[in-house]
Amino acid sequence: MTAFPNRNDLTIQFAHVAYPLEEEFAKRDTGLANFQTWSREDTLARIPDAHVLVISGFWDNALLDVASNLRFIQSIGAGYDQFPLDDLKARGIRLASAQGVNKNGVSEHAMSLVLALARKLHDARDNQRKHFWRQMISDIPAREDELGGKTMGIIGMGQIGSRVARLAKAFDMRVIATKRDTSTYEGPADEVMPPSEVGRLFAESDWVVLNCPLTDETRGIVNAAAFDAMKPSAYLINVARGACVDETALIDALTNGKIAGAGLDHFLDDPLPPDSPIWDLDNAIITPHTGGETQQYEANLLNTLLENVGRLDSGRDDLVNQIV
């Protein structure tokens, strides 16, 4: 394996369509050479100069054919399913995810979707635009609701899921969750069950919150059978990958009242296609994959990047959020 270059020879390439990572990095005054590319084409053209690549959506496997100096990839996002892990290993290129840098943002986003749906803020905003003042109503199920005493079911109890659980407990909710290894869990959830019991989680929950990574086990985990098991009064919150949800079954569930509503931050196709029926569903709140995109995101990411660069520079094999 080719040695990691020393700091004087190291060049970092930031590749993102919007995040001003080079600008934020300059504030650190590290002395490390760096540059940013803002398009796929420029990323491909400049990658021969990079020893470290900070990237997510611009990744293309074709980059490997010209990345002659590349030694380390710092993913900008928590997900890493776009990267060819076997190829990276064969080429001696290390990879780390950005897991945890957006744990506050995503967990707070999940809870904001819960609160918005419970308090019907989407309906209030629609009525505001119509200059319509909703009167008091006698139909109790149609009113805004409270969270205390309700059950939140969380799928994925990593850093984000654990923080969602803490936030839910602050609202006096009962929290149940699934986790691959229940013996390693320490946190505020009232009950943590193995994935084999996810059917019970669907049946008991008033709010189902997805925080899980996209894996073979979680792909389509919320499907037609899950919606059939859920209460008609229940809600789905997805701040994980869109492919964790069977979108056809989701549209059917929202259209035909199998569940009460959904808060969705990611979709099977991202961006959501203009002709998707989800746009026009009154009982869905859509956000454009912005759950983790806070004003602190770049700073959080650079903290992880610099820690990993420092470890590689000192010859350490262990990285923060190491994948390869």
Side-chain angles (χ1 to χ4, degrees):
M1 181 181 293
T2 304
F4 193 73
N6 64 54
R7 293 176 64 88
N8 293 332
D9 298 326
L10 184 70
T11 298
I12 300 172
Q13 177 179 0
F14 300 105
H16 198 276
V17 67
Y19 295 171
L21 291 162
E22 181 183 24
E23 177 183 331
E24 289 297 315
F25 193 71
K27 298 175 183 177
R28 305 294 180 104
D29 195 24
T30 64
L32 295 172
N34 66 95
F35 63 91
Q36 178 149 355
T37 50
W38 300 90
S39 69
R40 292 179 184 273
E41 294 75 19
D42 287 345
T43 299
L44 182 63
R46 294 292 308 277
I47 197 171
D49 300 327
H51 302 96
V52 173
L53 178 63
V54 184
I55 194 170
S56 58
F58 281 166
W59 177 258
D60 188 307
N61 290 348
L63 291 169
L64 287 176
D65 294 331
V66 292
S68 54
N69 292 313
L70 188 60
R71 306 268 38 95
F72 172 51
I73 299 171
Q74 174 66 65
S75 175
I76 291 175
Y80 54 90
D81 50 289
Q82 71 269 43
F83 296 105
L85 304 188
D86 290 338
D87 284 350
L88 295 181
K89 289 177 184 177
R91 296 168 187 257
I93 299 171
R94 307 296 302 277
L95 170 67
S97 79
Q99 180 183 6
V101 302
N102 60 359
K103 66 178 180 180
N104 287 359
V106 177
S107 59
E108 290 167 17
H109 196 80
M111 204 66 206
S112 72
L113 289 171
V114 170
L115 288 164
L117 287 163
R119 303 304 305 175
K120 299 187 182 296
L121 297 185
H122 54 307
D123 291 338
R125 184 55 182 255
D126 290 346
N127 287 337
Q128 177 183 337
R129 294 191 181 281
K130 299 172 187 175
H131 296 198
F132 174 74
W133 186 272
R134 196 210 79 184
Q135 302 298 315
M136 291 184 288
I137 55 178
S138 57
D139 182 8
I140 293 177
R143 295 178 189 167
E144 292 80 0
D145 204 0
E146 302 175 16
L147 297 181
K150 299 291 196 302
T151 295
M152 176 180 286
I154 299 175
I155 298 177
M157 285 299 281
Q159 296 183 59
I160 294 171
S162 294
R163 192 162 189 266
V164 171
R166 290 197 298 273
L167 294 173
K169 292 302 293 182
F171 285 90
D172 299 323
M173 300 184 77
R174 171 181 176 244
V175 177
I176 60 177
T178 60
K179 193 176 190 300
R180 279 176 291 185
D181 184 358
T182 59
S183 67
T184 64
Y185 179 73
E186 294 181 3
D190 296 284
E191 181 181 2
V192 177
M193 60 190 75
S196 59
E197 295 187 42
V198 71
R200 181 161 70 87
L201 181 144
F202 288 130
E204 294 184 15
S205 298
D206 300 293
W207 299 86
V208 174
V209 181
L210 299 183
N211 309 283
C212 50
L214 179 61
T215 65
D216 291 341
E217 291 74 26
T218 62
R219 186 178 299 274
I221 192 170
V222 181
N223 51 27
F227 289 120
D228 287 341
M230 290 172 67
K231 305 173 185 178
S233 58
Y235 293 84
L236 172 69
I237 305 295
N238 187 14
V239 291
R241 295 288 184 176
C244 293
V245 179
D246 181 329
E247 216 158 90
T248 300
L250 169 67
I251 293 168
D252 174 68
L254 291 171
T255 302
N256 295 307
K258 293 182 179 179
I259 63 172
L264 308 166
D265 189 51
H266 201 262
F267 302 88
L268 189 60
D269 293 316
D270 187 16
L272 183 66
D275 59 351
S276 171
I278 300 175
W279 287 105
D280 299 312
L281 294 174
D282 290 336
N283 55 350
I285 295 179
I286 295 170
T287 55
H289 198 187
T290 53
E293 191 182 60
T294 71
Q295 296 178 35
Q296 287 75 44
Y297 191 87
E298 285 86 349
N300 294 340
L301 174 65
L302 293 179
N303 289 341
T304 299
L305 169 68
L306 286 173
E307 175 65 26
N308 280 332
V309 168
R311 293 187 183 194
L312 290 167
D313 184 51
S314 63
R316 290 176 59 175
D317 290 330
D318 60 316
L319 300 178
V320 178
N321 301 327
Q322 178 176 313
I323 306 300
V324 174

